[in-house]
Amino acid sequence: MKEYKRIFVIVMDSLGIGAMPDSEKFGDIGVDTFGHILERMRTLDIPNLRKLGMLNLHSGGDMTGIKQPVGRYCKMAECSNGKDTMTGHWEMMGLRTEKPFRTFTETGFPLELIKELEERCGKRVIGNKSASGTAIIEELGEEEIATGAMIVYTSADSVMQICGNEETFDLENLYRCCEIARELTMKEEWRVGRVIARPYVGKKKGEFKRTSNRRDYALKPSGATTLNALADAGYDVIGIGKIHDIFCGEGITESLHSTSSVNGMEQTIDICKKDFEGLCFVNLVDFDALWGHRRNPEGYGREIEKMDQNLGVLLDTMREDDLLIITADHGNDPTYTGTDHTREYVPLLAYSKKMKEGGKMPDTDTFAVIGATIADNFDIRMPEGTVGYSILEELK
């Protein structure tokens, strides 16, 4: 007998809640994404997250918890060796990653890799540094068009991005080059999580604009996950935002692209109004992409407030036999040095209208309790080689 007919998992991408014990090994000392945002902002207008117990779990600034939160809450530690989006999401669904994906934020890609990429693609590489996608097109777009070169860049994530002007590069050629890059970056020493085609249009600075013809070439998960088990058992697995890209489509039965985190919450509310049975898995990326990497705590705080507004609508829309889980995949402290993710604990907030009471749950030593709990709820077996344990009894 299923406890819940529908489960919604919303990932507030990068909303960490304090340094893990091993954070120094990752170059992160005293990091605390949510705590430092609260210190900087002093207060946030987040009545719904507060109602679920977020501030009971982690307070700061002028804000504290409430006496009787309606949600269950705890903090989760990451057992995988990493602090990136794919590692965090894969662990939620049962996969422990031992070897972290490579990042090339400080150095750019190795010359050996660039040389091989140039030879295979027949194009000279320009850029090869960590940069904002819009900024590097403004900087190098005219040179790319004039010389037939191709812009290659990275970021704080484990990613290689290749820009191409749709009028002079040709989309199919851009995709071909990205497929070559994906093949080359399968090598262990160059292993990045994603290669992304970033097409744009325009002829000169000030006119360049990225198009919607982006294409992601992600690594497939290292094994079957809770998503595969759910889909194989005939349940709906609806991915919103980056979920399809993160899992390379594995185990996803329906996918919705989001234009923003606000749009992602609106899509989640729309899905909540429809009939389905299974999982709705949501990634809200703007916290990370727009504010964490750009070290903007005020922008990050305002984004949390926007999410909270739509969270109120979602809570009102939920049915009696729905379960909502809100979490994060890593930290990205906007007050810390550099632009990289930060190794942090993440929150787990859970709520259902049928829950007997709210309150603190035992902290967990892995994100994989989420996938294991989902599998337990739908009475399906987790795939072989996965990790995690169910906390379903805590969520009744």
Side-chain angles (χ1 to χ4, degrees):
M1 187 72 179
K2 292 182 288 293
E3 183 73 20
Y4 301 106
K5 181 180 178 182
R6 310 189 304 179
I7 297 179
F8 295 81
V9 176
I10 298 177
V11 181
M12 298 177 71
D13 199 309
S14 83
L15 190 67
I17 54 170
M20 282 182 52
D22 64 355
S23 65
E24 289 190 28
K25 297 178 182 178
F26 292 81
D28 303 325
I29 301 171
V31 291
D32 184 351
T33 300
F34 186 58
H36 287 156
I37 291 169
L38 289 176
E39 285 181 11
R40 183 68 63 89
M41 303 287 287
R42 305 310 304 172
T43 61
L44 289 176
D45 185 15
I46 50 171
N48 297 296
L49 285 168
R50 191 173 194 173
K51 180 170 69 173
L52 295 184
M54 183 65 175
L55 290 160
N56 295 73
L57 181 62
H58 198 64
S59 59
D62 296 328
M63 303 192 74
T64 57
I66 61 176
K67 283 188 177 181
Q68 292 183 316
V70 299
R72 305 302 308 275
Y73 53 89
C74 67
K75 66 179 180 181
M76 299 194 299
E78 186 168 15
C79 69
S80 294
N81 184 19
K83 55 176 182 177
D84 62 86
T85 296
M86 290 172 66
T87 298
H89 282 75
W90 289 6
E91 184 172 318
M92 288 178 208
M93 295 300 131
L95 297 180
R96 178 175 180 168
T97 300
E98 299 291 350
K99 293 184 178 180
F101 299 114
R102 297 296 306 273
T103 57
F104 299 91
T105 312
E106 305 301 327
T107 61
F109 297 103
L111 294 181
E112 182 185 0
L113 168 57
I114 294 298
K115 182 179 179 181
E116 193 166 347
L117 183 64
E118 288 177 330
E119 290 176 354
R120 293 275 303 274
C121 293
K123 282 183 170 287
R124 180 172 65 90
V125 167
I126 55 177
N128 189 25
K129 61 183 178 181
S130 177
S132 156
T134 51
I136 202 164
I137 291 171
E138 282 296 298
E139 177 189 350
L140 298 176
E142 290 181 353
E143 180 182 350
E144 181 185 74
I145 293 168
T147 66
M150 66 179 178
I151 301 169
V152 174
Y153 70 104
T154 188
S155 69
D157 288 322
S158 178
V159 63
M160 173 185 277
Q161 305 191 72
I162 303 179
C163 300
N165 187 286
E166 291 194 6
E167 298 167 349
T168 59
F169 199 128
D170 179 60
L171 263 180
E172 291 307 314
N173 196 24
L174 174 61
Y175 296 154
R176 177 187 70 87
C177 292
C178 288
E179 289 167 3
I180 292 169
R182 176 70 280 176
E183 179 188 339
L184 293 176
T185 55
M186 293 299 289
K187 286 186 178 181
E188 196 62 44
E189 64 268 30
W190 301 336
R191 184 170 175 257
V192 297
R194 285 176 296 155
V195 173
I196 304 177
R198 288 285 197 176
Y200 66 98
V201 293
K203 292 181 170 59
K204 61 182 180 180
K205 289 182 181 181
E207 295 180 356
F208 295 133
K209 184 178 180 181
R210 293 197 293 194
T211 75
S212 60
N213 291 318
R214 164 180 169 162
R215 186 173 291 181
D216 289 50
Y217 300 81
L219 287 177
K220 287 188 177 182
S222 55
T225 70
T226 307
L227 306 184
N228 298 103
L230 278 171
D232 290 347
Y235 290 103
D236 296 304
V237 182
I238 303 168
I240 294 179
K242 285 171 52 179
I243 297 298
H244 184 279
D245 293 342
I246 291 166
F247 289 90
C248 210
E250 293 288 304
I252 309 293
T253 62
E254 180 182 349
S255 181
L256 299 174
H257 170 74
S258 304
T259 58
S260 66
S261 289
V262 170
N263 178 231
M265 284 298 293
E266 292 169 344
Q267 291 169 315
T268 305
I269 293 164
D270 288 340
I271 291 294
C272 192
K273 294 175 182 176
K274 300 176 181 179
D275 287 326
F276 74 93
E277 188 171 6
L279 172 66
C280 178
F281 197 4
V282 184
N283 175 274
L284 305 177
V285 72
D286 287 352
F287 305 105
D288 187 57
L290 296 185
W291 314 116
H293 288 309
R294 297 180 185 181
R295 295 304 190 247
N296 186 333
E298 289 81 10
Y300 204 132
R302 299 302 174 214
E303 195 72 46
I304 296 172
E305 292 180 330
K306 292 177 187 176
M307 183 272 182
D308 192 274
Q309 288 182 343
N310 276 317
L311 176 59
V313 179
L314 179 62
L315 292 173
D316 289 340
T317 308
M318 286 172 60
R319 301 172 183 176
E320 192 75 16
D321 54 358
D322 288 343
L323 172 66
L324 171 65
I325 295 173
I326 298 174
T327 189
D329 50 346
H330 50 73
N332 198 347
D333 189 337
T335 69
Y336 199 55
T337 57
T339 60
D340 199 1
H341 296 149
T342 44
R343 175 81 165 176
E344 298 184 46
Y345 292 105
V346 302
L348 188 153
L349 308 176
Y351 172 73
S352 172
K353 291 181 178 179
K354 66 191 292 188
M355 274 183 182
K356 297 180 181 69
E357 60 182 2
K360 181 78 169 63
M361 298 185 293
D363 295 334
T364 77
D365 59 5
T366 175
F367 299 174
V369 296
I370 294 177
T373 300
I374 293 168
D376 186 15
N377 179 77
F378 291 105
D379 196 25
I380 58 175
R381 181 177 296 180
M382 286 291 288
E384 186 176 350
T386 52
V387 298
Y389 53 91
S390 174
I391 58 170
L392 186 61
E393 288 300 316
E394 298 277 356
L395 305 181
K396 292 183 179 179

